[in-house]
Every structure is written in C-alpha cells, then in structure tokens.
Amino acid sequence: MWKFVHKLASPPHFYHIAANLISWFAMPGLLLIGYGTYAGLFVAPPDYQQGDAFRIIYVHVPAAYLSMMAYMAMAISAGIGLIWRIKLAHAVAAAVAPLGAWFTFLALATGSIWGRPMWGTWWEWGDPRLTSELVLLFLYFGYMALRNAIDSTSKADRASAVLALVGAVNVPIIHFSVEWWSSLHQGPTLVRQGGPAMDTAMLYPLLAMILGFTFIFGALLLRRVRAEVLYRERRKRWVRDLILSGKGKR
Amino acid sequence: MGPYGFYVWSCFALTAIVLVICEWRARIRHRHVYRDIEVRVKALGDTE
C-alpha cells in the first residue's frame, strides 16, 4: 500500500498516470451530468411550494458541495505537504484553489439568482450561509494571492498551507450555519436523520448531478495538477526527456 | 418553466460557461507551461 502511495507521489509517475485518468473521470462525469440535467429539467415534477424555480437545485447544490469539498481537499493536501513534505501534495493544493474559487463563485451566483424569485432579493447580508460562503471565496482569493506574492515556491507552499489550514474552520461553519443560526436557507434536505426529505423523482437527478460534478471536478483537477507538476519540475531531467521525446503534450 | 424560466435557464447556462472556462483555463495553463519548457530545452540543446 505504502509502496503504491510513494510511487503515485512521484511527480513523473503521477504525470503519466493522470493523463490516462482524465478521460476515466470526464466520461462518467459528462454522462451523469447529461442524465441529471435532462431528468432535473424535464422529468422531475415541480416543487409544490417553489414551482419550477426549485430546478436550480440541480446546479446550485453540486456547486456548493464542491466549493466546500475543494477547500477541504486543499487544506488536507496542504497539511500533508507541510507535515510530510510531499511535493505533489503542495502541487495538488495549488491546483485545487482556482477550481474551488470557480465553484464557490458558481454556488454564490446560482444561489443569488435563486434568491431573487424566492426571497425577493439577490443578496441578504444577514444570512449566515451566504456570508460564510462569501468568506470561503475570499479565502480562496487570499490563498492564491499569497502564493503569487512569494517568489520562492517552497516558501509559498509553506505560507499558503498555513492559511489553508486556518481557513478550514470556515467549512463546518458554512455547513452547520443553517442549524446554528436563523437563516433564509432551508435546513438540511439530503444529509439528515430519517433520510433525504425529497421524492425519488427529484432526488435521483440531484444525486446524479452531485456525482457527475465530482467526476468532472476530478478530471479538471488532474489536468491542473499535471500543469503544476510540470512547472515545478521544469528543471528536472525527466521533464527534459519528456519534452525531447515529444510525449506528454496533451 | 413558467415565470421562473429566466432564472432556471440562467443558472444552467452560467454553470455550462463556468465548466467550459475551467476546462479551457486548465488546458491553456498546461500548454503554456509545456511550451515554455520546450523553448528552454531546445535553446539549451542548440547551445550544447
């Protein structure tokens, strides 16, 4: 097991494996999103309270879930890099940040568009989940700004890892904010005692979308980590050999 | 979609745009890094 992990953590090995894995993540991701979009838009019945506006859930929930998961992945990778000094872990953390920021932006934007017809407002500063999700976006921006501000890659890795770990405290705040404080957001619908509070005709497309988004996120992350690994290893012999062989271009 | 069509389709369109941007930026980043290294390696090869 450890031998496999060590081999995978080797940059040249990861670079080659990731190239093959990308399509294994992208294909099921696209299929699941295709099914989820069709079933969510045209098969699932309208919600008895929100009507067709509830269909925004099929993009808003996966984006919001991934915005938090991405941050946890970034913090854990940064922590592994900081403690065990695994270079690939820092590369993963650096590659996750822009993706996490995009998905957080998507969660905020789709939530805002949903809020307009349901709450009568695009934004509500008093809502703890909206505010803590916005803080998450700023944490991603801060992480990327800090990395860009430091020339030395190893120093940037260490400083940004500390920020990523400290900022991780915001993730449970986002998740539990609807239980801890009064919020415009509804309470937990999927992960709750007694099972999901949704009809299966609405639930299955949502699960497909969440899984599909996760696969696509994996494919995007692999592509970004490959670029990050290539950049960090640009002066290594294996990269020179790779370039001269003309392989590894895609 | 009734009165909510604009909101629902806007969200799905925005999601598609963001996913395309993420994929495009990831490809561009890899291509740039690869090209920069390629130029450097070839320049080194010429001087050797």
Side-chain angles (χ1 to χ4, degrees), chain A residues 15 37 41 50 52-53 55-56 59 102-103 106 109-110 113 117-118 213 220 223-224 226-227 230-231 234-235 239-240 243-244 246-250, chain B residues 1-2 4 6-12 14-16 18-19 21-27 29-31 33-34 37-42 44-45 48:
Chain A
Y15 187 83
T37 302
L41 286 175
Q50 300 190 34
D52 285 311
R55 297 183 200 284
I56 295 172
V59 285
W102 273 112
F103 279 89
L106 192 59
T110 53
I113 295 170
M118 290 299 109
F213 267 64
L220 291 168
R223 208 180 277 291
R224 275 201 166 266
R226 283 184 88 227
L230 204 60
Y231 176 74
R234 62 192 180 280
R235 292 192 180 88
V239 174
R240 187 171 174 268
I243 301 287
L244 290 173
K247 291 175 185 168
K249 214 164 197 171
R250 68 180 178 91
Chain B
M1 297 290 162
Y4 303 120
F6 168 76
Y7 301 104
V8 175
W9 289 113
S10 303
C11 286
F12 276 79
L14 184 65
T15 303
V18 165
L19 290 180
I21 289 174
C22 284
E23 172 67 15
W24 175 69
R25 285 185 63 90
R27 279 175 189 264
R29 167 81 178 143
H30 185 264
R31 199 176 299 162
V33 173
Y34 192 94
I37 301 170
E38 200 172 32
V39 167
R40 194 175 55 83
V41 167
K42 282 185 178 160
L44 279 172
E48 278 174 11

Side-chain angles (χ1 to χ4, degrees), chain A residues 5 25 42 50 56 99 110 114 119 167 182 205 208 232 236:
Chain A
V5 172
F25 276 84
F42 305 112
Q50 300 190 34
I56 295 172
L99 288 176
T110 53
W114 197 358
W119 302 338
S182 75
R232 285 162 178 256
K236 296 284 168 65

Side-chain angles (χ1 to χ4, degrees), chain A residues 111-124 184, chain B residues 4 7:
Chain A
S112 182
I113 295 170
W114 197 358
R116 184 71 188 95
M118 290 299 109
W119 302 338
T121 179
W122 296 100
W123 188 264
E124 176 53 57
L184 288 170
Chain B
Y4 303 120
Y7 301 104

